Amino acid sequence: MIEFLTAPWDFAFWQRAFLVAAMSGVVCGVIGSHVVLRGMAFIGDAVSHAVFPGVAVAFVFGFDLVVGGAVAGVITAVLVAVLAQNRRLKEDSVIGILFAAAFGLGIVILSTAPGYSGSLESFLFGSILGISDQDVTNVAVIGALLLLVAVLLHKHLVAATLDRELARSVGLPVFALDIALYVMVTLAIVISLQAVGNILVLALLITPAGTARLLTDRLGVMMVLAPIIGGVSCLVGLYLSYAFDLAAGGLIVLVVTGVFVLAWFFAPKHGLVARMRARQAQLV
């Protein structure tokens, strides 16, 4: 058992993979908690696809794919925040419109570059075993900054989530907080792309936070549980990938989903078993 746990660390590429996976899981757990509290899981899906045109442009012109995706994602996130200020349109409608437009633009751009599918495979499905030392540094720096901002804005973000009108009345800059949260979501997604890929990144952002939401009623505890669940799930998924030679990104998502299913059944207060027992007690 000890040998199984230590063997992957003998290889530099596995060391980098474990570090990036753990950092991605932790950051997504923290940022995802705010996303789940606001009931805006769709923004994670939209932003993860909105980075597509930026990646396409970066590929066509030979730039860094992650940088291109980050720029496109931030632009889209800001547009969502701006357009959602019109009360005639709900936030999910604006997200849907921009998501479809961004993805369509990405497809058009890529159609001008033959032979792109293989080069973008890592973007779509993740390439955690191909991460470089520079990638580790980038994820560490961006992740640390995101966690710092999340801590500094925590109370204001929660206030804007629970009661936007009250937050406005006490002078909180709700619009600026919206933009800040959208940008944080975008950057959390971008640093996680190499771990699980564009297609599966929503699971890493939402599922740990959703699991923590089932396990506790206390916001502070949720903010601690979500990154722990995300980070540990990433590490377990990587170990399973090492043991069975299967896709790391897919296994990470399956592990974190498995933890969610267990919580859905067995959470002490909000799990299916606990709720059934409570109903039986009421009947008696």
Side-chain angles (χ1 to χ4, degrees):
M1 181 64 178
I2 299 298
E3 183 180 354
F4 171 74
L5 293 176
T6 58
W9 291 90
D10 292 334
F11 304 98
F13 65 92
W14 274 105
Q15 295 173 14
R16 292 191 291 266
F18 279 120
L19 291 173
V20 168
M23 289 186 289
S24 298
V26 169
V27 172
C28 282
V30 172
I31 306 302
S33 295
H34 289 288
V35 173
V36 169
L37 283 174
R38 286 192 58 169
M40 49 182 282
F42 192 28
I43 184 64
D45 191 32
V47 170
S48 68
H49 290 78
V51 302
F52 192 50
V55 171
V57 171
F59 173 78
V60 171
F61 293 99
F63 302 144
D64 185 277
L65 299 186
V66 174
V67 173
V71 171
V74 168
I75 291 174
T76 304
V78 172
L79 285 174
V80 168
V82 171
L83 296 179
Q85 299 303 304
N86 187 328
R87 296 189 178 184
R88 292 288 297 175
L89 291 175
K90 290 187 177 181
E91 190 175 57
D92 58 348
S93 299
V94 174
I95 291 171
I97 292 168
L98 292 180
F99 153 62
F103 204 72
L105 177 61
I107 293 174
V108 170
I109 294 172
L110 282 181
S111 67
T112 65
Y116 60 84
S117 58
S119 300
L120 288 179
E121 182 178 355
S122 62
F123 168 76
L124 295 175
F125 304 109
S127 60
I128 196 165
L129 298 184
I131 287 173
S132 66
D133 290 333
Q134 184 60 49
D135 292 328
V136 176
T137 301
N138 291 341
V139 171
V141 172
I142 296 174
L145 289 174
L146 283 175
L147 293 178
L148 176 61
V149 173
V151 170
L152 294 176
L153 296 182
H154 173 72
K155 292 182 179 180
H156 290 169
L157 288 172
V158 172
T161 295
L162 298 180
D163 193 329
R164 296 175 66 81
E165 295 306 320
L166 178 60
R168 285 193 179 96
S169 68
V170 297
L172 290 182
V174 174
F175 176 61
L177 290 171
D178 286 344
I179 292 180
L181 181 57
Y182 292 159
V183 172
M184 290 162 65
V185 169
T186 300
L187 295 179
I189 287 173
V190 168
I191 67 173
S192 304
L193 288 178
Q194 289 170 297
V196 294
N198 176 261
I199 294 176
L200 300 176
V201 71
L202 181 65
L204 198 57
L205 183 71
I206 302 300
T207 310
T211 304
R213 183 73 168 157
L214 290 175
L215 294 174
T216 181
D217 291 326
R218 298 177 59 187
L219 181 58
V221 176
M222 177 184 172
M223 289 289 181
V224 173
L225 281 178
I228 291 175
I229 293 169
V232 172
S233 296
C234 285
L235 294 178
V236 172
L238 276 182
Y239 271 113
L240 291 176
S241 174
Y242 172 78
F244 299 105
D245 193 25
L246 296 173
L251 284 172
I252 289 172
V253 171
L254 290 178
V255 169
V256 75
T257 304
V259 176
F260 171 80
V261 171
L262 289 175
W264 191 83
F265 276 104
F266 302 112
K269 185 175 180 181
H270 301 292
L272 178 63
V273 174
R275 286 185 284 120
M276 290 179 64
R277 287 177 178 172
R279 290 173 185 171
Q280 290 175 353
Q282 290 176 351
L283 294 176
V284 175

